[in-house]
Structure formats: C-alpha cells, structure tokens
Amino acid sequence: MLYKQPIQVTLFTIMAHSSQEHTKFTLSAAEILANWLYSSLIAVLTPLLVLHWATNSLLKKPGFGSKRLSRFGFIPRKTQPTSILIHCVSVGEVNIAASIVKRLSKLDPKLTFTLTTTTPTGAENVKRLLGDAVQHLYLPIDLELIMGRLLKRISPQQIMIVEVELWPNLLRQASRLQIPVTVVNARMTNNSVKGYQKMGLLFQPMLRSLHKVLAQGQRDYHNYLLLGLPEDKCFLTGNLKFDLDNGKNRSTNSSSLIDHMKIDGRIVIVGGSTHDPEESILLDAFKMIKERFPRAILFIVPRHPQRFSQVHELCSESTLNTVRLSDKPEITDNTQIVLVDAMGLLNDVYKVSKIAFIGGSIADKGGHNALEAVKVGVPVLMGENQYNNPEIASTLRQEGCLINVATAKDIAKQCLIWLEDEEMRQQAAQSGLDVIQRNQGALDNTLIHLGFGIQRQ
C-alpha cells in the first residue's frame, strides 16, 4: 500500500475557515528585493504576453478568446464571490479538482467554487466535467496588483492549489488577506527541490505562507519537509488519482467514438497523452505488431491539441492507413491508425483497448496518469520517465500491471506477449485493479484536512 488507510469516517459539512488561525509573517530585506526583481521581470514580460494573446485572438485560435483576458486582470463583470478557489494547471489537475468539487457539493450544496486554469485544455476540461456548476477563470499573471484584485473580487474563504504551481504574489496576497492556502495532492519532485533551493529567497516566503500541504506520496512529503515546511503543516494523505471516477457513463462525445465506429473484434492498442517523439516510436512498434495481428488498430491521442495536425502528417507519412476522428470516419478493415484529435475522449478510448502506452514517459515529461487506463482493466506500458507519479508507477510495476519500455522493439515485444497470452494480459489488468482498490481513501483524508468535521462511525 502506498499510504496508511484512514480511519473510516462520515464527513459532514462543518466549514472551519473562520476559526482557522492564519499566521502573519514579515519578509527580510533580501526577500523583499527578490520578490521585487521577480515581479519586475513579470511586468516586463507582460506586454509580450498581451501581444501573443492579441495575435492568436486575431487568428481565431482556440483558447484565445476574450475570456482569456482574465490572465491580464480583466475580470468579467459577471464574476461572483465564491466559497472556495481551486487552481489547476491543466487537464489532470482539473480531474482532481472536479472530484473534490463534486464531493463537497454533496456535503454542502451552499458552497460555491471558482476554478482557475492556465491552459485552454484545462478550461475545456472544467466545462466538460463541471459545466455551469462552477465559475471558471484563467489565473492572472502573477503580479501583486492583479492577484490582489482577483482575490478581493471573488473573496474566497480558502484556496486550494492542485499538485503544483506555487506563485509568489498569489500566495503573498492570500496571506495579506488572511485566506488559508492548501496544496492538495501535492507533488514535489527531486528536481523541483533542487530548483527551489536555488531560489530560497523567493521560495521560503511562499512556504511560510502555506496553511497546509497534503502530500500525495512519501517522496513528496519528505521533499516538502526537506525544503523546510514544518511537520505540523505537512500531511501524507495519499494520491487522489486512486479515487478518481473515470466515468462509468460515457463522455458527451463518446457516441462518435464508440457507437459509430466499427471496431468490434479489432485489437485496439492506445497511445495516450503522447508527445514527440513517442508517436513515431509507436508507429514503428505497430508495424511489427500488425505482422502477427493484422487486424490490430492503433489509436493515438496526443497530449496537446496544437500538435494534432503535425501528428496526422507523421501518421500519413508512415504508409499506415490513417483517419482523423474529427472527420467522423467510417472504420473499415483497412483502417490501421485512428488519430483522436478531440479533447475529453481518452478514457473512452481506454475502455475499448487491450493495451495502453502512457505518454510523456519516453519523452522526458515525467509520465502521465497510468491509472486512467488501469481503472478500466487495461495493462500499461511506460518509458522510464515516471517522476510525476513515481510511487504509483513503482507499485503498478511490482504487481506486473506496468511494464517499462524504451524502444519500438520493446513496445512491440511486450504487446505481442500480452496479445498471444490473453490469460496473462487479464492477470496483469486485474493486478492493477487490485492496486487501486487497496489504495483508495485519499479523498476522505483530504477533505478532513481541508477543515471539514468528522464523525466516527
């Protein structure tokens, strides 16, 4: 087990924000200077960011509409005060935030939520998962005046930051306004520790301003303590990804993927959340696999939508028969590659697959969430870059549900082993489901530390 299971509790809606103590602190002269230099750099870069937005807005690129102006402090007039502000970087963090919002909304329907993201894909995921149940804004650029304006406008009782992204002026303004900030499902890699240690004058004030850090794993808990976070602020609550519901119901777009695609009887292999050069490696591996299983079909789901056209060109040049999902294609026996060029469909693809490769793991991106595939009974392959979720990857690997690969030959070899021995593949898939079952409970732990009362059964 990755962490100690919590005592069984029944949660009830007693918000304790008003009774929470919020420690004020002062900055040293050196820390004030460091923050001034940081803020000056952000201020200098801001006109360039505005120009970038204006250019892409004129080109009508997705994600660069007027709503993105909140990045520069232009908060929409309809923006309302909120109970809880949750900041997410992008898609994965939004998934976690959505699970918290849904649980808290059941506990207390009076609570209101504002979710901020920094990417258009994150914004799309907020809309897909939560719709109008929450208020969404792009997190402003980290300038004191703009951050202060945002916090005064929405007046949250508390702030949650999901996993990463500690912004000096956001935390400084929250401290001034006595708004407690908690990092939930907190992640702190070894490389991040080295970086923050080099920026001590900027990082230490952020650390002091945090109300709590709820670490997802032992590495993350240890690293926050190593950086100087007091033990009474740091708690090992487990990884919320084990508690995520992949969605028993299909997504709103799934009918175009599953119901209208004739893939019955086809062996589906998925490359999920891929980066360059993982697509080309998968294509090479698939050519080897189809020699033994000619009716196999490869679904490629790039991580970033701006790469859809690039990946389509790569697939087309591979001589493999390729279709784009956005074209609503007719899948024939000759179809070999399906490029999923739409957001929010990865889980639906996993549900019809036999084997999944998890992207960002051969490419040096730390590896994306393997549990999305494991939860629907799919064994996974990953490259050696697994530092985003090392304990999850290690546990899945020990149980035989995750196999490390480095080359196209490695991928093809393991796929053939599992495809030629269905019992072995199913055993690997079941071991992954068992891991998930044993490690659930992080959401209850998190809610307790967020200030909700508990009642022992």
Side-chain angles (χ1 to χ4, degrees):
M1 293 185 9
L2 299 187
Y3 64 94
K4 187 176 180 180
Q5 290 282 7
I7 298 172
Q8 270 204 315
V9 298
T10 300
L11 297 169
F12 60 96
T13 54
I14 299 181
M15 294 297 288
H17 309 310
S18 59
S19 64
Q20 291 175 340
E21 294 184 1
H22 192 77
T23 305
K24 293 183 178 180
F25 62 91
T26 57
L27 300 180
S28 69
E31 288 171 340
I32 292 173
L33 177 60
N35 186 268
W36 181 83
L37 291 172
Y38 162 79
S39 299
S40 297
L41 177 61
I42 298 296
V44 169
L45 293 175
T46 296
L48 297 177
L49 295 173
V50 173
L51 180 61
H52 178 257
W53 168 82
T55 302
N56 286 284
S57 179
L58 289 172
L59 295 174
K60 299 187 182 300
K61 288 190 176 181
F64 287 90
S66 59
K67 187 174 182 180
R68 199 173 173 87
L69 281 172
S70 61
R71 288 283 285 158
F72 311 110
F74 296 96
I75 311 300
R77 289 184 179 180
K78 63 180 181 180
T79 302
Q80 298 294 317
T82 194
S83 305
I84 300 174
L85 169 63
I86 307 179
H87 175 58
C88 317
V89 179
S90 192
V91 175
E93 293 80 9
V94 170
N95 291 338
I96 291 170
S99 69
I100 295 173
V101 168
K102 290 175 182 178
R103 178 70 74 85
L104 290 180
S105 295
K106 289 181 180 178
L107 291 171
D108 187 350
K110 294 180 181 179
L111 290 175
T112 56
F113 302 87
T114 296
L115 267 63
T116 57
T117 62
T118 54
T119 68
T121 52
E124 289 177 21
N125 207 29
V126 172
K127 183 178 181 180
R128 183 177 68 88
L129 294 176
L130 297 169
D132 295 330
V134 300
Q135 183 172 246
H136 172 265
L137 296 168
Y138 285 98
L139 186 74
I141 293 168
D142 193 39
L143 291 171
E144 283 195 65
L145 181 63
I146 296 176
M147 282 298 185
R149 184 168 182 261
L150 170 69
L151 295 183
K152 289 176 183 177
R153 180 71 176 275
I154 65 175
S155 189
Q157 293 174 291
Q158 68 167 293
I159 298 172
M160 304 178 203
I161 297 174
V162 182
E163 290 201 351
V164 291
E165 279 217 351
L166 303 179
W167 293 102
N169 287 319
L170 169 61
L171 293 174
R172 190 176 183 183
Q173 289 300 310
S175 179
R176 284 179 175 175
L177 295 170
Q178 298 190 45
I179 304 170
V181 180
T182 301
V183 186
V184 299
N185 213 50
R187 177 158 53 90
M188 181 62 69
T189 67
N190 296 335
N191 285 337
S192 294
V193 169
K194 295 175 183 176
Y196 283 133
Q197 286 174 334
K198 293 177 182 177
M199 300 186 297
L201 291 175
L202 200 59
F203 179 73
Q204 286 302 316
M206 291 195 292
L207 205 64
R208 295 199 301 272
S209 69
L210 292 174
H211 177 62
K212 289 181 181 179
V213 170
L214 309 182
Q216 62 175 255
Q218 189 65 50
R219 176 206 65 177
D220 313 287
Y221 174 81
H222 171 77
N223 282 344
Y224 264 102
L225 294 180
L226 184 64
L227 285 167
L229 187 71
E231 287 191 23
D232 62 355
K233 286 188 173 185
C234 196
F235 303 90
L236 179 58
T237 51
N239 199 316
L240 284 165
K241 290 178 181 177
F242 282 109
D243 288 2
L244 291 182
D245 180 7
N246 264 28
K248 294 179 182 178
N249 300 317
R250 292 177 181 176
S251 70
T252 55
N253 294 326
S254 65
S255 59
S256 64
L257 171 66
I258 295 176
D259 298 336
H260 295 261
M261 298 185 82
K262 297 178 181 179
I263 54 176
D264 291 343
R266 301 289 295 270
I267 294 171
V268 177
I269 299 169
V270 177
S273 296
T274 57
H275 298 258
D276 180 44
E278 291 168 337
E279 294 91 2
S280 60
I281 293 172
L282 284 168
L283 291 171
D284 289 342
F286 185 70
K287 290 177 182 178
M288 302 180 218
I289 294 167
K290 73 182 186 67
E291 291 179 4
R292 174 67 181 83
F293 294 92
R295 296 197 73 242
I297 186 168
L298 174 64
F299 281 67
I300 296 179
V301 190
R303 179 69 173 182
H304 298 298
Q306 59 265 34
R307 296 189 61 245
F308 287 160
S309 295
Q310 174 190 344
V311 175
H312 179 251
E313 184 177 349
L314 178 68
C315 293
S316 300
E317 291 173 353
S318 71
T319 71
L320 295 168
N321 191 336
T322 301
V323 297
R324 297 181 69 149
L325 183 65
S326 60
D327 293 333
K328 299 180 180 179
E330 182 74 21
I331 302 299
T332 69
D333 286 342
N334 294 326
T335 305
Q336 296 168 316
I337 309 291
V338 177
L339 172 62
V340 182
D341 54 348
M343 299 300 296
L345 292 175
L346 182 55
N347 287 337
D348 291 307
V349 180
Y350 284 146
K351 290 173 187 176
V352 298
S353 66
K354 292 282 189 180
I355 300 167
F357 169 81
I358 309 301
S361 57
I362 290 180
D364 190 6
K365 303 295 181 180
H368 295 299
N369 186 8
L371 294 180
E372 291 178 341
V374 172
K375 281 187 176 182
V376 292
V378 180
V380 297
L381 307 174
M382 290 187 74
E384 294 184 355
N385 293 308
Q386 300 167 7
Y387 50 81
N388 283 346
N389 301 284
E391 295 183 23
I392 288 177
S394 175
T395 303
L396 293 175
R397 192 165 56 248
Q398 290 171 13
E399 297 295 327
C401 183
L402 185 155
I403 302 296
N404 279 6
V405 293
T407 65
K409 187 175 180 180
D410 292 341
I411 294 172
K413 180 181 178 181
Q414 186 58 44
C415 284
L416 290 173
I417 289 173
W418 275 334
L419 293 177
E420 290 174 349
D421 190 334
E422 177 62 15
E423 184 177 352
M424 180 185 293
R425 190 194 69 81
Q426 289 186 3
Q427 286 177 349
Q430 184 59 50
S431 69
L433 293 172
D434 293 342
V435 168
I436 291 172
Q437 183 66 33
R438 291 197 302 268
N439 288 281
Q440 290 182 334
L443 184 54
D444 283 351
N445 278 345
T446 297
L447 295 183
I448 291 167
H449 286 291
L450 286 172
F452 284 78
I454 63 172
Q455 183 177 21
R456 296 182 187 276
Q457 288 183 332

